[in-house]
Amino acid sequence: MTDTTIDRTGYGAMAAPFLFVLLWSTGFIGAKFGLPFAEPFTFLLWRFGFVTLLLLAMALLMRAPWPAGPVQSLHIAVSGVLVNALYIGGVFCAIYQGVPAGIVSLIAGLQPLFTAVVAARILGEKVYPRQWVGFGLGLVGVVQVLMDKISFAGGSPLGLSMAIMALFGITAGTLYQKRYCAHMDLRSGGVIQFAASALTMALLAPTFETMQVRWTGTFIFAMSWLVVVLSLGAIPLLNILIRRGEASRVASLFYLVPPVTSLMAFLFFDEQLGVTALVGMFVTVTGVALAIKR
């Protein structure tokens, strides 16, 4: 996927945010399927490695342009490590350490507020009062959606630290991408981002894990889904949205991830979805609508 496939004024531009939320929300489902069969750093080492090879083949076949110099390549690598290694790695580690998914989602749900505050200071983005109201409503809605799923039992200080690291990673990665990598080619840039992330996992996995993998059908399905749908679909979409919009507005879309994930869990795993969660979904959508309205 390239940003030339999305017409800023056409249906593609309108559909892109919703498609991103839908695809990104499936990441938690993929983690739920795959983590019982591999430790998190090992899981992500294989995932990032596969994505790097696929994107490299795509970039070479399509003769994609590469960064002009080592400084730009370094910026792209840093942005990739922040979003992929820190955020995704933090989420996977927190869940693996036993932190309830509701708590992980709630911590990650602080990202739009963090991004708006920092974007106003670093990128000079103006955040209007209406948007602040939207950010607040979005957070309230997320809490309502997750209310029945939040449990403070289980997990560990390490797991909670990983969830906080994930929050830092996605916030910093969104802002860094907007400031330093706005014009990167998504194919060659993706190679650099995922290669840097795979190298990070290659250093962490043998240090902290056994690196054993049970290649069951379920694990292969989860890996395939996360490689194709998340890494080759959702992450390029995120990069396009960051390139074309303000960081704070793009970040507000992450409020929609817990409601959509909860709806998927209801449809596919028969998880509970009560009245409070439904009201929370409405509040969240209202908040996001206020946050992204121009």
Side-chain angles (χ1 to χ4, degrees):
M1 178 182 298
T2 64
D3 52 356
T4 58
T5 64
I6 296 181
D7 178 8
R8 186 192 297 267
T9 60
Y11 293 109
M14 293 187 291
F18 302 102
L19 180 59
F20 163 73
V21 170
L22 180 63
L23 297 181
W24 193 270
S25 300
T26 64
F28 290 93
I29 305 298
K32 183 175 181 178
F33 274 119
L35 278 175
F37 305 100
E39 294 160 295
F41 294 148
T42 302
F43 191 144
L44 292 176
L45 172 59
W46 282 97
R47 173 182 169 182
F48 296 155
F50 285 139
V51 177
T52 301
L53 293 176
L54 289 173
L55 281 175
L56 179 60
M58 183 185 302
L60 294 176
L61 287 172
M62 300 177 71
R63 299 181 179 180
W66 293 83
V71 173
Q72 185 59 30
S73 295
L74 180 61
H75 282 315
I76 294 172
V78 170
S79 69
V81 169
L82 288 172
V83 173
N84 296 324
L86 262 67
Y87 171 67
I88 299 176
V91 168
F92 273 49
C93 285
I95 294 175
Y96 188 80
Q97 287 289 323
V99 180
I103 295 297
V104 177
S105 298
L106 188 58
I107 293 174
L110 297 173
Q111 188 248 346
L113 282 174
F114 272 63
T115 301
V117 171
V118 180
R121 293 180 176 272
I122 295 180
L123 299 179
E125 293 185 1
K126 184 173 179 59
V127 182
Y128 297 95
R130 179 196 68 251
Q131 289 179 269
W132 288 116
V133 173
F135 290 135
L137 282 176
L139 183 59
V140 170
V142 168
V143 173
Q144 287 182 287
V145 170
L146 299 175
M147 187 69 71
D148 295 333
K149 300 181 181 180
I150 292 177
S151 169
F152 290 92
S156 66
L158 176 60
L160 290 173
S161 298
M162 292 295 100
I164 294 172
M165 183 185 75
L167 171 62
F168 168 79
I170 191 61
T171 302
T174 300
L175 296 168
Y176 198 95
Q177 178 90 9
K178 180 68 176 179
R179 182 162 187 173
Y180 295 108
C181 311
H183 302 292
M184 77 171 192
D185 184 271
L186 295 179
R187 297 155 297 183
S188 59
V191 173
I192 296 171
Q193 287 183 327
F194 281 104
S197 302
L199 178 60
T200 303
M201 294 300 114
L203 296 174
L204 294 174
T207 303
F208 297 105
E209 299 178 350
T210 64
M211 298 189 70
Q212 295 181 353
V213 178
R214 287 185 289 155
W215 292 91
T216 65
T218 301
F219 179 77
I220 292 173
F221 169 78
M223 177 66 71
S224 301
W225 184 270
L226 291 173
V227 166
V228 176
V229 176
L230 266 293
S231 297
L232 297 181
I235 291 180
L237 261 178
L238 175 61
N239 291 335
I240 292 171
L241 292 171
I242 291 172
R243 176 181 299 177
R244 294 189 166 185
E246 294 177 355
S248 57
R249 284 190 169 93
V250 174
S252 69
L253 295 174
F254 283 90
Y255 276 149
L256 297 175
V257 172
V260 174
T261 302
S262 296
L263 186 59
M264 289 181 177
F266 169 75
L267 293 174
F268 297 112
F269 300 107
D270 293 324
E271 291 189 8
Q272 182 179 355
L273 188 64
V275 175
T276 302
L278 293 174
V279 172
M281 289 181 184
F282 175 78
V283 173
T284 301
V285 170
T286 302
V288 172
L290 288 173
I292 66 177
K293 182 179 179 182
R294 295 187 178 278

